[in-house]
């Protein structure tokens, strides 16, 4: 058993230059494992609590020295001597030590840093690549988290390469509110391998950049996740430009490359109305937003819609799912916040058919597994996702492959905190094998 000998945390900085927590864990006789915690901007209200210092004299209150202190003292004292490879016990000990519902005492950033670093440390001690260690954890988790439906799909079974869902144009909180919707993405559903998918994506991204410049749009600079942030006159224009770029690269929209949206609507919902600024101060209710999305799904090859409605609008989500659930993947991000209980409610109410999986929304590896497994057991598509504030940490790429989640969403293909994950996936593809790619086949249940 790889016994934890040392736990050490420090304050480092993410892709927005914001402080975050890095943790190193070393087991007896092996090298340390290290992880860095990501951070969102368009965060859901029900996410686990990211502990910030609140000291206005340091980084506008955003310092994380309290979280770092919790790791170096209380958590280190409690976890030293434990088996780093026993992720379930480590994560349970962290939750028990914290004692709150949303990890607000020690901080979900402190807890996640330790949970992820323990996985890295265990992989080091077992001399396994991280994805293989995660795959072992995931396979043995069946004993505690239940089996998956037998072979109805490749999802959740043996490790597979994920279909990337990639941001081309950014809006919302990630690009100064130039557009209401946050991400206009592409899914290379017709590619036959991960590296082919990536080649298509990169070609389309560069073509789109040229197209925006040729058309004279201001703001071809990139947003927080590396997507272009042009000032357009309407939300739908972004969809049309992405389609134009796909076609200009000789790819067929829909069959080769489909469109995805992250509406991130909680962030323009005022409690009663969805307020669209790009087209004047348009005020829509849930039904209007559903009508709009239905119109778009009929007019454009849109296969995936995230947070089409707000995090509290359960009734709206039910209606959205009734109307579009057999034609598009409807992902709950702010709605489910990777939280098993919120996903259970979604399953009960038939709200959505897919869940975004962000490790820092829930705060431990094991709880992430729980939510992922619950999704797969109920035929929901899981999408492993990065945050808008990221770092050189590639853990989620390994996690997506090991759990056979089927999809990954890590932003655009510019900026190294994104590329570190895409490039890691290229390395993993060599180990997992090119055949281990489902691509767009995972959407065979959808009517085209
Ligand atoms: P966030 O954005 O990390 O700022 O929350 C990502 C997303 O909404 O999917
Ligand atoms: Zn989102």
């Amino acid at each position: 058993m790889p016994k934890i000998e040392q736990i050490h945390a420090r304050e480092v900085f993410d892709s927005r230059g914001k402080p975050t927590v890095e943790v190193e864990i070393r087991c007896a006789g092996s090298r340390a494992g290290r992880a860095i915690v990501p951070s969102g901007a368009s965060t859901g209200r029900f996410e686990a609590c990211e502990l910030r210092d609140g000291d206005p004299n340091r980084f506008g209150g955003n310092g994380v020295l309290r979280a770092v202190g919790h790791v170096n003292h209380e958590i280190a004292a409690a976890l030293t001597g434990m088996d780093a490879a026993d992720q379930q016990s480590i994560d349970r000990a962290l939750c028990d030590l914290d004692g709150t519902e949303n990890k607000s005492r020690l901080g979900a950033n402190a807890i996640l840093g330790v949970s992820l670093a323990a996985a890295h440390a265990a992989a080091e001690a077992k001399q396994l690549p991280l994805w293989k260690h995660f795959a072992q954890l995931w396979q043995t988790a069946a004993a505690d988290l239940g089996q998956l439906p037998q072979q109805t799909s490749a999802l959740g079974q043996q490790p597979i390469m994920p279909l990337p869902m990639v941001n081309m144009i950014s809006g919302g909180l990630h690009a100064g509110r130039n557009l209401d919707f946050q991400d206009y993405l592409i899914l290379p559903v017709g590619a036959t391998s991960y590296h082919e998918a990536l080649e298509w994506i990169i070609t389309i991204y560069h073509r789109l950049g040229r197209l925006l410049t040729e058309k004279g749009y201001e703001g071809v600079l990139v947003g927080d996740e590396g997507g272009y942030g042009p000032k357009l006159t309407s939300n739908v224009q972004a969809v049309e430009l992405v389609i134009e770029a796909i076609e200009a690269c000789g790819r067929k929209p829909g069959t080769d490359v489909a469109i995805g949206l992250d509406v991130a609507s909680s962030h323009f919902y005022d409690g009663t109305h969805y307020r669209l600024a790009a087209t004047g101060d348009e005020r829509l209710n849930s039904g209007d937003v559903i009508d709009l999305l239905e119109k778009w799904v009929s007019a454009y090859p849109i296969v995936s819609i995230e947070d089409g409605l707000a995090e509290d609008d359960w009734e709206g989500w039910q209606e959205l799912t009734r109307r579009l659930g057999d034609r598009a993947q409807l992902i709950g991000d702010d709605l489910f916040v990777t939280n098993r209980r919120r996903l259970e409610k979604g399953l009960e109410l038939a709200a959505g058919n897919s869940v975004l999986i962000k490790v820092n929304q829930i705060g431990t590896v094991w709880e992430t597994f729980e939510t992922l497994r619950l999704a797969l057991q109920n035929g929901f598509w899981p999408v492993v996702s990065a945050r808008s504030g990221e770092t050189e940490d590639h853990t989620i790429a390994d996690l997506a492959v090991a759990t056979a989640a089927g999809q990954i969403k890590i932003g655009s293909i510019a900026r190294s905190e994104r590329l570190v994950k895409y490039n890691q996936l290229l390395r993993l593809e060599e180990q997992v094998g090119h055949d281990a790619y489902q691509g767009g086949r995972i959407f065979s249940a959808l009517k085209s």
Side-chain angles (χ1 to χ4, degrees):
M1 125 176 168
K3 214 167 151 181
I4 294 179
E5 211 167 69
Q6 198 181 47
I7 301 181
H8 178 69
R10 63 175 69 85
E11 185 180 68
V12 296
F13 299 89
D14 71 13
S15 53
R16 282 189 280 250
K18 230 171 134 179
T20 188
V21 179
E22 172 172 275
V23 179
E24 283 172 1
I25 296 185
R26 198 168 48 72
C27 294
S30 64
R31 292 194 325 186
R34 181 168 69 205
I36 313 180
V37 176
S39 173
S42 70
T43 46
R45 262 200 304 130
F46 304 100
E47 293 192 20
C49 169
E50 184 180 78
L51 190 67
R52 300 261 173 206
D53 296 341
D55 170 2
N57 298 317
R58 278 189 91 246
F59 308 120
N62 285 319
V64 291
L65 294 180
R66 278 163 66 210
V68 163
H70 289 154
V71 176
N72 287 338
H73 299 107
E74 203 173 328
I75 295 177
L79 264 59
T80 303
M82 280 186 78
D83 178 2
D86 184 355
Q87 193 74 47
Q88 186 179 15
S89 299
I90 299 252
D91 291 345
R92 188 176 297 146
L94 286 164
C95 291
D96 289 349
L97 194 64
D98 174 77
T100 68
E101 191 64 32
N102 63 350
K103 304 185 172 63
S104 54
R105 192 178 78 76
L106 297 171
N109 41 355
I111 290 171
L112 180 66
V114 173
S115 178
L116 295 175
H120 281 268
E124 283 290 345
K126 287 158 72 182
Q127 297 191 322
L128 281 179
L130 182 64
W131 73 273
K132 279 199 179 162
H133 170 59
F134 271 145
Q136 285 181 1
L137 284 177
W138 176 251
Q139 305 285 342
T140 50
D144 295 289
L145 303 178
Q147 297 291 341
L148 295 169
Q150 269 310 307
Q151 304 303 344
T152 47
S153 111
L155 299 186
Q157 313 279 348
Q158 292 306 312
I160 57 170
M161 296 304 296
L163 169 70
M165 175 189 295
V166 183
N167 187 0
M168 294 283 116
I169 293 184
S170 296
L173 295 178
H174 293 172
R177 291 191 185 273
N178 55 329
L179 292 163
D180 298 298
F181 296 1
Q182 184 174 287
D183 294 350
Y184 299 82
L185 310 113
I186 58 171
L187 294 82
V189 288
T192 53
S193 66
Y194 168 74
H195 67 269
E196 184 179 53
L198 196 58
E199 192 179 314
W200 291 10
I201 290 159
I202 290 172
T203 311
I204 294 166
Y205 177 81
H206 289 145
R207 190 69 194 85
L208 176 63
R210 283 213 306 282
L211 218 129
L212 292 169
T213 312
E214 283 159 19
K215 289 181 186 274
Y217 291 115
E218 261 179 72
V220 179
L221 296 175
V222 301
D224 280 359
E225 295 191 349
Y228 298 114
K231 289 215 179 339
L232 305 177
T233 48
S234 71
N235 296 303
V236 79
Q237 209 185 355
V239 177
E240 288 175 345
L241 282 161
V242 172
I243 292 174
E244 201 177 327
I246 294 170
E247 284 171 336
C249 292
R251 299 283 162 215
K252 218 164 161 259
T255 340
D256 289 337
V257 182
I259 303 288
L261 303 169
D262 183 359
V263 180
S265 64
S266 302
H267 303 283
F268 53 83
Y269 184 62
D270 67 9
T272 43
H273 288 100
Y274 295 87
R275 301 176 67 154
L276 298 180
T279 39
D281 187 13
E282 215 181 335
R283 285 165 198 238
L284 306 181
N285 60 31
S286 288
D288 300 330
V289 175
I290 298 169
D291 289 345
L292 178 81
L293 293 173
E294 188 169 36
K295 211 167 85 190
W296 282 27
V297 168
S298 302
Y300 305 105
I302 295 173
V303 73
S304 177
I305 303 171
E306 180 177 332
D307 282 352
L309 294 167
E311 59 204 345
D312 275 327
D313 192 355
W314 290 102
E315 275 178 31
W317 268 95
Q318 287 178 292
E319 178 62 14
L320 176 71
T321 310
R322 273 194 293 273
R323 297 255 297 269
L324 286 180
D326 60 350
R327 292 160 73 191
Q329 167 172 261
L330 303 172
I331 314 173
D333 170 13
D334 292 351
L335 181 72
F336 297 134
V337 290
T338 319
N339 184 311
R340 189 193 159 89
R341 281 192 210 101
R342 288 190 66 90
L343 180 58
E344 273 164 2
K345 180 167 175 181
L347 290 168
E348 219 169 90
L349 298 177
N353 59 22
S354 168
V355 55
L356 207 70
I357 300 289
K358 290 169 163 169
V359 282
N360 81 322
Q361 279 183 328
I362 189 69
T364 63
V365 170
W366 197 261
E367 289 165 291
T368 303
F369 278 6
E370 284 180 349
T371 304
L372 232 164
R373 208 151 187 107
L374 183 67
L376 289 166
Q377 282 163 341
N378 289 280
F380 266 45
W381 288 284
V383 181
V384 172
S385 172
R387 300 309 302 246
S388 51
E390 274 291 336
T391 67
E392 64 269 33
D393 187 292
H394 62 69
T395 311
I396 59 165
D398 294 62
L399 186 92
V401 169
T403 56
Q407 293 173 80
I408 195 161
K409 176 179 181 243
I410 42 194
S412 202
I413 40 82
R415 305 180 48 139
S416 281
E417 78 279 5
R418 315 285 145 196
L419 271 303
V420 72
K421 283 108 174 146
Y422 288 114
N423 289 340
Q424 174 71 356
L425 288 169
L426 285 171
R427 292 178 205 112
L428 298 192
E429 188 180 38
E430 290 176 3
Q431 299 175 48
V432 176
H434 294 180
D435 306 342
Y437 182 71
Q438 288 290 303
R441 276 178 289 170
I442 59 168
F443 294 129
S444 59
L446 292 177
K447 288 189 208 149
S448 52

